[in-house]
Amino acid sequence: MAVPMVDLRAQYLRIQEAVDAAIARVVGSTQFVGGEDCRLFEQEFAAYCGARHAVGVANGTDALALALRAYGVGPGDEVVTVANTFIATGEAILLNGARPVFVDVDEASFTMDPGGLEGAITSRTKVILPVHLYGHPAPMNEIRAVAERHGLPVLEDAAQAHGAEIAGKRAGSLGHAACFSFYPGKNLGAYGDAGMVVTDDADFAARVRQVANHGAGKARYDNVVPGTNSRLDTLQAAVLRAKLPHLEGWTAERRERAAAYARLLEGVPGVVLPREQAWGRSAWHLYTLRVANRDSLQAHLTARGIATAVHYPRPIHLQPAMATAGGRAGDLPVSERLSQEVIQVPLYPELPIESLEGIAREIRAFGGAGA
Ligand SMILES: Cc1ncc(COP(=O)(O)O)c(C=O)c1O
């Protein structure tokens, strides 16, 4: 058995004609920066999210950094977020000279625990930045209620959550604005790096677009605020446009596979399964088990040709790169425990059900052997 974490080639083969045509269209037009494909993908992805505006940028990290900049986040400011996430979430805050303030997560959803939020807000707080981790939405209703009491915007880190929902509303329309990554392995992935900021707020979208394009003013070579170059690549926009019509079908296939794992792994001793919370719909970016002896399970599966991953072995408040935020071991007990226990097993739309059954059998065998 040889099962990878994702199979981008299998995905390509399903949509080869549309992707090849999209790439040929851009190459033939020689419009490599900006143009119709960028403009239309922004419109189409905003519509998919149920939001009015979208600004394509170079990657998900830039989406976060530029969105925070557009909120005016700078030195002396604080952004409240979680440590149970990829480093980019915290990095985007540091890149603006601000300080990340970390709150713990709720172990049922792996996302921001709204219980800890109120106490983390100070007069310096500028933005609240929850993360929809592994495709599961953060409890946005509770988070927004706290944010509204303090007059703060909520920025969604939706890098892992294209198509996640709460009460029929999709990630991208659950906060004031949202940031997406289209890194190749994401639920909607480009053929390189790409990202997007989505919002209903036209002024905010215009500010993001401005800083992403050298702080451009109205006239050419009119640069009115300090900016950078972080535009969405046209080839990536064209590939993403070819893929977007398939996203809902792929999410359905992910959901079927998550349900199959849940059925096949129910009751395995020592293995805690991920659960979709009653109030949300997960986009199942990753299927995350919790096991006390995670490293032994990883070795067991690796020996049988089954790929696994650990997202993430260290919560970001304990990363050396975040040292200036002053995080210490023991600050965030749930995040710290999860980092010792979580392990991801393959889950992608093209994963053959027989492979999934084989993976489940191996996990059962491992659990039965006294996990
Ligand atoms: C939660 C989270 N935030 C931000 C990012 C950054 O996105 P990118 O890799 O496109 O910069 C990622 C993905 O890599 C992510 O998983």
Side-chain angles (χ1 to χ4, degrees), residues 26 41 182 189-194 232-241:
V26 176
F41 181 58
F182 303 113
Y191 284 6
D193 279 310
L232 171 64
D233 188 279
T234 312
L235 273 169
Q236 302 309 336
V239 169
L240 290 163
R241 285 190 70 209

Side-chain angles (χ1 to χ4, degrees), residues 64 128-132 140 154-159 170-180:
L64 288 164
I128 297 173
L129 176 52
V131 180
H132 305 316
M140 292 297 288
V154 181
L155 176 65
E156 306 168 62
D157 182 339
R170 288 204 175 125
S173 61
L174 300 171
H176 173 263
C179 296
F180 288 88

Side-chain angles (χ1 to χ4, degrees), residues 53-256:
H53 307 282
V55 182
V57 296
N59 54 65
T61 308
D62 279 6
L64 288 164
L66 295 166
L68 292 174
R69 176 102 72 93
Y71 283 123
V73 169
D77 293 332
E78 293 174 354
V79 175
V80 180
T81 190
V82 289
N84 186 35
T85 183
F86 182 56
I87 190 73
T89 314
E91 209 171 43
I93 300 167
L94 289 185
L95 282 170
N96 282 289
R99 195 170 83 87
V101 173
F102 297 109
V103 296
D104 216 345
V105 295
D106 161 31
E107 63 186 335
S109 69
F110 300 108
T111 65
M112 183 179 272
D113 182 352
L117 189 52
E118 192 96 50
I121 294 172
T122 72
S123 57
R124 293 166 186 260
T125 309
K126 271 277 175 73
V127 178
I128 297 173
L129 176 52
V131 180
H132 305 316
L133 199 73
Y134 310 145
H136 198 290
M140 292 297 288
N141 293 340
E142 289 84 343
I143 292 169
R144 281 182 68 148
V146 176
E148 271 156 32
R149 274 203 294 283
H150 294 268
L152 292 168
V154 181
L155 176 65
E156 306 168 62
D157 182 339
Q160 301 188 5
H162 322 67
E165 290 178 8
I166 295 178
K169 286 186 80 177
R170 288 204 175 125
S173 61
L174 300 171
H176 173 263
C179 296
F180 288 88
S181 164
F182 303 113
Y183 181 81
K186 298 293 199 245
N187 287 23
L188 181 62
Y191 284 6
D193 279 310
M196 194 158 273
V197 180
V198 173
T199 182
D200 274 345
D201 181 339
D203 291 337
F204 178 80
R207 288 202 300 281
V208 174
R209 196 180 294 286
Q210 185 174 53
V211 283
N213 191 20
H214 302 294
K218 290 213 166 58
R220 193 150 198 213
Y221 300 120
D222 186 18
N223 306 100
V224 296
V225 294
T228 184
N229 175 359
S230 181
R231 296 179 295 241
L232 171 64
D233 188 279
T234 312
L235 273 169
Q236 302 309 336
V239 169
L240 290 163
R241 285 190 70 209
K243 285 189 168 193
L244 182 58
H246 301 280
L247 180 57
E248 274 307 280
W250 291 338
T251 304
E253 289 171 332
R254 287 176 181 276
R255 294 178 61 75
E256 280 164 26

Side-chain angles (χ1 to χ4, degrees), residues 163 259 285 369:
H285 174 54

